[in-house]
Amino acid sequence: MSSLNDLPDSPCIGVCSTLFDEICKGCGRTAVEVSNWVFLSEEEKRAVWNRIEREGTAMRFTREKG
C-alpha cells in the first residue's frame, strides 16, 4: 500500500458541513471519519482518500476541476 506522503494531512478544505450533513460537502468524509481522522491508521486514511477521490463529488474535487 502506498504511503500518504503525497497527500495533504487531511482531506479538509475548511468548508465543513458535518453539523448538518452526514457527508461533508467540503471534503466528502462522513462525520465519523472527520471526528476520528487523527486516530485512523494510515491504511484507514488511504481507504477514505481512495473513496472520496473515486466519488469526486465533494467541493475538494469539484473546485479543482473548475
Side-chain angles (χ1 to χ4, degrees):
M1 177 158 285
S2 64
S3 75
L4 296 173
N5 293 335
D6 56 335
L7 296 169
D9 291 336
S10 164
C12 182
I13 61 168
V15 181
C16 299
S17 69
T18 54
L19 290 176
F20 307 104
D21 302 311
E22 179 57 28
I23 303 290
C24 179
K25 289 181 169 90
C27 69
R29 294 177 293 170
T30 67
V32 171
E33 290 166 343
V34 169
S35 63
N36 290 309
W37 188 255
V38 297
F39 304 110
L40 297 180
S41 68
E42 185 170 310
E43 183 176 309
E44 291 168 322
K45 289 178 180 179
R46 173 57 72 188
V48 172
W49 271 107
N50 287 341
R51 189 194 80 246
I52 64 175
E53 287 174 341
R54 185 175 58 252
E55 291 171 354
T57 56
M59 284 183 205
R60 161 174 272 292
F61 304 107
T62 58
R63 288 184 356 178
E64 291 176 358
K65 293 176 188 172

